[in-house]
Each structure stands twice: as structure tokens, then as C-alpha cells.
Amino acid sequence: MMSEKIAVAVDDLTVAYNYKPVLWDIDLSIPEGVLMAIVGPNGAGKSTLIKSILGIIDPIAGSVKIYGKPYSKQRDQVAYVPQKGSVDWDFPTTALDVVMMGTYGALGWIKRPGSKQKKQSLEALEKVGMLAFKNRQISQLSGGQQQRIFLARALVQNAAIYFMDEPFQGVDATTEIAIINILKELRKAGKTVIVVHHDLQTVPEYFDWVTFLNVKHIATGPVKDIFNDDNLTKTYGINYKVAVQQ
Amino acid sequence: MNPMLEIQLIAAVTAAACAVPGVFLVLRKMALISDAISHSILPGIVIGFFITHDLASPWLIILAAFSGIITVVLVEMIQKTGLVKEDTAIGLVFPALFSIGVILIAQNANDVHLDVDAVLLGDLAFAPFDRWMVDGSDWGPKGLWIISIILLISLALLVAFYKELKLSTFDLGLSSALGFSPVLIHYGLMSVASVTTVAAFDAVGAILVVALMIAPAATAYLLTVDLKRMLLLSVLFGIASAIGGYWMARLLDASISGSITTVLGLLFLTVYLLAPNKGLIAVLFRQSRQRIEVSLLTFLLHLNNHDSLEERRVAHLQEHINWHRVRANSVLDLAVKNNMIIIEDEVVSLTDKGLEFTERALDYIMTNKDEKIEDMKDDFFLFRG
Ligand SMILES: Nc1ncnc2c1ncn2[C@@H]1O[C@H](COP(=O)(O)OP(=O)(O)O)[C@@H](O)[C@H]1O
Ligand SMILES: [Mg+2]
């Protein structure tokens, strides 16, 4: 299932907002085919890390490679689910329309989505169990439904690597299970899935790899090897007694 | 064409041209920046006028639009220092640029055919006097040509880049990740807004430009949840206010720009009160319904928990739950109307339907699972968030 190929390689990455570094000299390499959690306290720079990998933020220093090439050459390999709070859910648009946005990258400038893109989007909606809501205005969806829409939009991108920023934020238990099942399916299909995750309790159950991050990179590796008190303490500063179920 | 018709046409086309970028400014919560642009293009206009001596020259439009872009860049630079917020940055930049413009006018009052009143309020009534003459034949007012061309360009850009504009307005991060540079789109939009402002400025003045950009879009936003419809409605509202304002000005013998601004304001106020979903009255109605429905649920729960005959008497319930009589009645009515209770001999009992409703509502409140109560959303406001 897991090959030796490196999907994402981050080298000496340093990022600052207004000259205050929020990521400091990050080295990270993520093998192809893992389902990986990124954990760390609030403000640790998890979202910033993803944004710099995707070229949304310009780093001060360092480089990012997706399958050995710069991100700008590999856009079609990568799908992105931003943090839910980063968009305006009162925007005048429907669930289907938001999912269709996932097809824009492949279309390029000016070209408009057509019936093929619509069909793909409807299939993705079906997959996340949201087909019945396709014409619903997005502000009329619950938090969990909004996350499903975002997931569907990423599925439509049909990429090799998926970055998801807190996809479980504000969702109920049923939706959480539905989402994690889809992520596990993606991994089975050989995709690499990288998820910013908050609930330390569920890390061993959901993920096979984990990255600890708090401004600096603390550790990356298989959950069974590195998800332990030592790394949790280094990341969160206090002694975390998390029962690691193997 | 007679001047009356020409004035209305100029006002209507200007309104339509302002409404298009206005929709995106409103959705991007950048209403303030249009105010900033409309004021800070003044130095550009004055300097352009020194050079060209023609208020309708394309060079003047380009120069002035350029000072609009400089405003945007300055605002962003100040904001990036992290010392002040965006609204403060805007508040710092545009009075500075505007006052440079005012000083330039004051210093050269003899040469320049501009005064500050005209800048703020514009003068639609005079717009038809400046005509475009080709080989001695009259092609109509220059202002009408300029604003029409700008409207056409901005419609063409809107059609071409609709998807990019929508994506980058809704989701900056994804737009950037997919390679649709939000910076490029942002400056494209700002350029269109600046050029439109400059062209509209001469005819209608700074205040009306801002009103024409923001008010129709803000009004349309209250009425629709579809971006295309919002664009269409904004253009229609703009045109209707322009023509309505013109006739109001004639009727009251008032300033045309002032009247159009007033109509825009009244239109917004009306829609703000009456809009079916987002309007104030609809919101208040929904809240009062939700309050009654919460009482209904409390009432049904009470029935469910106290099933002795004595405790289910109407009089006892009204006294015991300690509601205002009217309230208790409207709750009882609602429960009876929905077949949730039956009242026999002044004794209330829960029906199967009432029992099911209670259980599902309780389940929803405890778990917040939306899927299960989808079918109840249509009948009850309680479940519409
Ligand atoms: N646009 C921004 N401007 C300034 N500071 C920011 C911005 N975005 C994030 N930060 C700061 O950068 C740090 C890391 O933020 P973020 O990457 O969002 O953390 P996380 O996702 O781990 O909670 C935080 O201290 C946050 O306050
Ligand atoms: Mg974050």
C-alpha cells in the first residue's frame, strides 16, 4: 500500500506574518499513500504550513516539492479543503455550485464548466450523501453538511494528494464517521491524504501517519512508532496522558 | 434626442455600469474602498485636467483611474504593516489624497473649471452640453459615450471572468491554490471600479458614485441567494433609481444626484424591511414564531412528563406553566392545529403525532443532527437555525 515515493517534500521552510515567524525551518517529507494527521496546539502554524505548501502564502525561505516538482507545476495533483471558517457561508450560491468550483482548476482561465463538470459534481455530492441538498443555499446547511460539501469539492478535483484543514470541525458524530470512511477509501485507492486534526483521542484510530508541529517541526512518522507521550509533551508543552491504542 | 431623455439615459447607463463592480465590492465587504477610490481619484482628475484641459479625455480617465489604484495599493501597504486595520488604513489614505486634490483646485482656481461642490455632487443637468462632434455632425453627449463603452467593457470582462471572480470572492485560498491569482483578480476588479468611478464621477459626483455602487448591490443581496440574479437585480435597481430619481428631482425641483441618492436609500430601506427572508419584518416574525414553538415544545414535554388527569386540565396547565394567558392560548392553538394534542372535557392529552414530534425535537436539540428533522423544517421555524 505504501510505496517509497515521496509525495510532498518540504525543505527549510520559514514563514512569517508581518516579520513574526510562525513556521521556523520546517523539514518534512510525506511518503505517498499515507493518511496523515497534522497535530499541534492552536496557532501552531498548521494552516500556515498547508497554505505555504499550496503557494497561497509566500514563505521567507525554503522550498516545497510535490512529486519532485514545484507546486505551480503540479496543481492538478493536489486538492485542498480550507478551514471552514475561511469562507463566507452567506455568499449567494448553492451546494452544487460550490462543488463545481472543484472543477475550475482543470478548466483553466475563462473556460466555463459544462455538463461534464456538472455530472462529476453531482456524483461527488452523491458520494458524500448530499445529493438531496444540491440546490440548497449554502448558509441553509448545517456545519456538518458544509464540511461534506467541501469534501465533495475536493473529490471533484480528482487529485493524487489531498490537503484538508480541520474537516471535522463542527460536525456531528455521523458526519465524522462518513468523512473518515471516505478518507480511508482515498488512501486505499493509493492517494495521499493530509489532515489537520484536533482530537488527539482519535488519531490512532483514524490515521496511520502523524506530524507533530508547533512553530517548529517536532516529528513525523507512523502513528504506532511516534504517537507517544514524549512527542505530545514536546508539542503541547504539558504532559499529555493519551492512551495509545495500537 | 432631447436633453431630458439624454440625462435619463446617462443616469441609467451610469447606474448599470456602477452596479456591476458594486456587487463584487459588497460581497467582498469592500464597500468602504469604493468611497476611498471615489475621493482619492480627485488629484488624478485635477492633474489630468491640467494636462488635457478636457474633462472627458480618455487620458484623464486613465490618470484618475491610476490614482484610484494607488489608493488601493497604499491602503494595502499600510494594512500590511500590521499596525492598523483595513478601515483605519482607508481612513488614512483617502482624506490625504482628496485634500491634495482640493488644494490643487484651490491653488489653480482661475485656470481650472472645477469646484468642490461639483466634484461631490456632480451635475447631471449639464451633462448633455458637452457633445461629441464629428465633422460638424452631433453624435450625442460625450459622457454618454464614455460611460456606455465602460459598461460594455465591464460586462465583457464579467462574462469572461465570471467563474474566476466568483471563486476568488467566495474562497480566496482555493482560488490561489488552483492558480487563479487572487491578487490579479483583485487588481482587475479595482481597475474596473476605478475606471467606472472616474467616468461616472463627472456626471454624477463622488457621493452618487458610491451610492450607485453599493446601494443596488446591498439591496439585491437581501432578495436573492443566486449570484447571477444578484447582478441582474442590482443593475435593474440602479437603473430604476436613476430614472425614478430624475423624475423626483423634476417634480421637487431638486438636485438630480441628490434625488437619485434618496431613491436608492428609500429602495434599500423598503427592501430591508420587507424582504421575504432576510428582511427585518421577516426576521422578527421568525423569531416570534420560534419563541412560540419553544413554548410549544416545553408544553408538550410537560404533558409527556405529567400524565395524571388532574395535571392535564386546561386551567391547571395555564396556571401551572405560568404563561401569560394569550401565550398559552396561542401555544394551545398551534398544538391543536398540528394534531399534536386533543382537548376533551377540558383535559389535554398528547396524540401519537405529538409524542413523535416531542421525541424527535428533543433528539435534535440534544444531538444537533440536522438530517433527521429535514421534513420538519418546512412546518416549523424552530428547526431552521
Ligand atoms: N493573516 C495573518 N496575519 C497575521 N498573523 C496570522 C495570519 N494568519 C495566521 N496568523 C498567525 O500565525 C500563527 C499560526 O496560525 P495558523 O497557521 O492559523 O495556526 P493553526 O492553524 O495551527 O491554528 C498564529 O499565531 C496566528 O495568529
Ligand atoms: Mg488552522
Side-chain angles (χ1 to χ4, degrees):
Chain A
M1 186 172 66
M2 213 186 84
S3 67
E4 291 304 302
K5 252 168 123 184
I6 298 299
V8 182
V10 175
D11 264 322
D12 301 329
L13 184 80
T14 297
V15 183
Y17 294 108
N18 311 322
Y19 313 107
K20 179 187 142 237
V22 294
L23 286 177
W24 194 255
D25 201 24
I26 307 287
D27 286 303
L28 172 67
S29 86
I30 305 170
E32 181 177 56
V34 295
L35 174 49
M36 185 179 92
I38 301 179
V39 300
N42 281 330
K46 304 179 295 293
S47 300
T48 304
L49 175 63
I50 291 186
K51 287 184 195 163
S52 354
I53 293 174
L54 302 185
I56 299 169
I57 296 175
D58 276 333
I60 296 183
S63 79
V64 173
K65 294 272 159 65
I66 306 286
Y67 285 121
K69 291 187 202 148
Y71 173 74
S72 58
K73 299 230 156 41
Q74 301 279 47
R75 288 188 206 282
D76 56 343
Q77 302 277 349
V78 179
Y80 174 43
V81 174
Q83 222 163 324
K84 209 186 94 198
S86 69
V87 307
D88 173 14
W89 290 96
D90 286 324
F91 190 84
T93 190
T94 59
L96 176 61
D97 212 34
V98 170
V99 177
M100 298 259 276
M101 289 176 187
T103 68
Y104 288 6
L107 285 167
W109 288 88
I110 298 180
K111 242 181 118 188
R112 283 161 178 252
S115 57
K116 183 178 149 216
Q117 283 74 19
K118 186 165 175 189
K119 193 168 153 264
Q120 292 169 343
S121 308
L122 289 172
E123 280 165 13
L125 273 171
E126 167 122 66
K127 188 141 201 206
V128 300
M130 288 291 293
L131 196 54
F133 300 87
K134 64 179 173 160
N135 293 323
R136 175 92 44 107
Q137 206 268 329
I138 52 173
S139 69
Q140 304 293 315
L141 299 169
S142 69
Q145 292 171 332
Q146 290 173 343
Q147 288 287 15
R148 286 175 191 236
I149 294 299
F150 261 13
L151 179 61
R153 188 176 71 172
L155 292 177
V156 159
Q157 284 186 259
N158 194 20
I161 307 173
Y162 290 77
F163 286 95
M164 312 201 171
D165 203 342
E166 303 201 21
F168 302 114
Q169 188 198 5
V171 311
D172 57 72
T174 330
T175 302
E176 180 156 334
I177 292 166
I179 293 178
I180 194 66
N181 283 339
I182 291 174
L183 300 191
K184 286 181 174 170
E185 255 176 59
L186 286 173
R187 180 191 47 190
K188 255 191 221 136
K191 317 273 187 181
T192 309
V193 185
I194 297 145
V195 179
V196 174
H197 191 58
H198 251 302
D199 181 9
L200 294 171
Q201 302 291 337
T202 52
V203 168
E205 186 188 331
Y206 291 174
F207 301 95
D208 52 11
W209 267 53
V210 62
T211 284
F212 291 93
L213 183 79
N214 191 354
V215 185
K216 290 181 181 170
H217 176 240
I218 291 155
T220 294
V223 170
K224 62 179 178 348
D225 299 339
I226 69 158
F227 194 69
N228 52 37
D229 269 2
D230 185 31
N231 281 324
L232 284 165
T233 308
K234 276 188 198 154
T235 309
Y236 290 86
I238 33 171
N239 201 7
Y240 259 83
K241 296 279 179 216
V242 176
V244 184
Q245 308 121 29
Q246 306 264 344
Chain B
M1 236 190 300
N2 70 39
M4 256 171 66
L5 214 65
E6 282 177 356
I7 292 174
Q8 289 179 69
L9 207 54
I10 293 174
V13 176
T14 306
C18 289
V20 174
V23 164
F24 290 97
L25 293 181
V26 165
L27 288 176
R28 288 165 172 245
K29 310 200 163 39
M30 290 175 59
L32 266 179
I33 201 91
S34 78
D35 199 13
I37 292 175
S38 73
H39 285 75
S40 51
I41 56 173
L42 187 59
I45 290 183
V46 178
I47 294 169
F49 187 74
F50 289 159
I51 300 172
T52 61
H53 290 280
D54 178 4
L55 267 179
S57 148
W59 286 111
L60 185 139
I61 294 184
I62 289 166
L63 256 175
F66 189 68
S67 57
I69 306 281
I70 290 180
T71 314
V72 177
V73 175
L74 279 177
V75 167
E76 272 158 24
M77 270 171 56
I78 294 179
Q79 208 187 330
K80 274 221 180 85
T81 63
L83 298 173
V84 295
K85 289 208 181 102
E86 184 179 9
D87 53 349
T88 316
I90 291 174
L92 287 170
V93 171
F94 89 79
L97 286 172
F98 186 63
S99 50
I100 293 175
V102 171
I103 292 168
L104 282 174
I105 294 179
Q107 293 251 307
N108 302 280
N110 295 334
D111 321 330
V112 186
H113 192 68
L114 275 171
D115 68 76
V116 178
D117 263 2
V119 164
L120 285 176
L121 284 174
D123 219 331
L124 261 173
F126 295 123
F129 291 141
D130 191 5
R131 310 202 67 86
W132 196 34
M133 307 294 283
V134 180
D135 294 335
S137 65
D138 180 359
W139 285 60
K142 262 189 195 167
L144 181 58
W145 278 98
I146 291 172
I147 197 70
S148 302
I149 289 168
I150 285 166
L151 172 63
L152 285 179
I153 293 174
S154 96
L155 285 177
L157 287 170
L158 174 67
V159 171
F161 297 109
Y162 178 73
K163 123 173 159 288
E164 289 79 3
L165 273 164
K166 181 167 69 177
L167 176 61
S168 77
T169 303
F170 172 63
D171 191 340
L172 205 78
L174 187 69
S175 177
S176 167
L178 293 181
F180 303 109
S181 161
V183 178
L184 201 65
I185 296 166
H186 174 73
Y187 280 105
L189 176 62
M190 287 303 124
S191 306
V192 170
S194 295
V195 171
T196 309
T197 305
V198 180
F201 190 89
D202 181 34
V204 300
I207 296 176
L208 184 53
V209 172
V210 178
L212 283 176
M213 285 211 174
I214 303 310
T219 312
Y221 182 72
L222 295 172
L223 286 174
T224 177
V225 292
D226 180 281
L227 180 55
K228 280 182 186 151
R229 214 167 293 161
M230 183 175 167
L231 281 157
L232 191 71
L233 278 177
S234 299
V235 170
L236 290 179
F237 286 153
I239 293 175
S241 307
I243 293 173
Y246 173 81
W247 287 101
M248 183 175 131
R250 277 190 64 112
L251 216 70
L252 304 177
D253 194 19
S255 135
I256 302 176
S257 290
S259 304
I260 295 176
T261 312
T262 309
V263 173
L264 284 167
L266 289 175
L267 191 64
F268 176 79
L269 190 67
T270 313
V271 171
Y272 173 71
L273 290 176
L274 301 179
N277 280 312
K278 298 184 196 165
L280 187 64
I281 291 172
V283 169
L284 289 178
F285 174 72
R286 192 157 57 230
Q287 283 172 352
S288 88
R289 283 289 306 229
Q290 280 174 344
R291 263 198 299 275
I292 293 177
E293 285 170 18
V294 169
S295 308
L296 168 71
L297 192 57
T298 322
F299 171 66
L300 294 178
L301 278 174
H302 183 89
L303 278 184
N304 201 11
N305 292 339
H306 306 302
D307 49 9
S308 85
L309 211 65
E310 206 37 53
E311 283 178 300
R312 288 191 282 122
R313 286 194 190 287
V314 174
H316 171 88
L317 282 167
Q318 278 174 357
E319 196 179 305
H320 189 84
I321 306 181
N322 202 11
W323 277 320
H324 200 273
R325 254 192 106 83
V326 185
R327 189 86 173 273
N329 276 335
S330 67
V331 169
L332 275 183
D333 286 348
L334 190 64
V336 174
K337 209 176 80 200
N338 281 289
N339 300 323
M340 288 170 175
I341 54 168
I342 34 177
I343 307 178
E344 278 169 347
D345 302 336
E346 292 287 294
V347 172
V348 185
S349 15
L350 215 52
T351 62
D352 285 348
K353 190 173 170 231
L355 193 62
E356 194 204 331
F357 173 84
T358 314
E359 278 166 0
R360 284 173 67 186
L362 207 59
D363 189 46
Y364 166 69
I365 288 165
M366 311 247 270
T367 62
N368 220 355
K369 268 188 207 155
D370 252 39
E371 290 76 8
K372 291 193 187 161
I373 47 97
E374 272 310 323
D375 56 323
M376 309 213 292
K377 277 192 177 172
D378 293 336
D379 298 331
F380 294 96
F381 290 80
L382 193 55
F383 307 108
R384 294 189 205 168

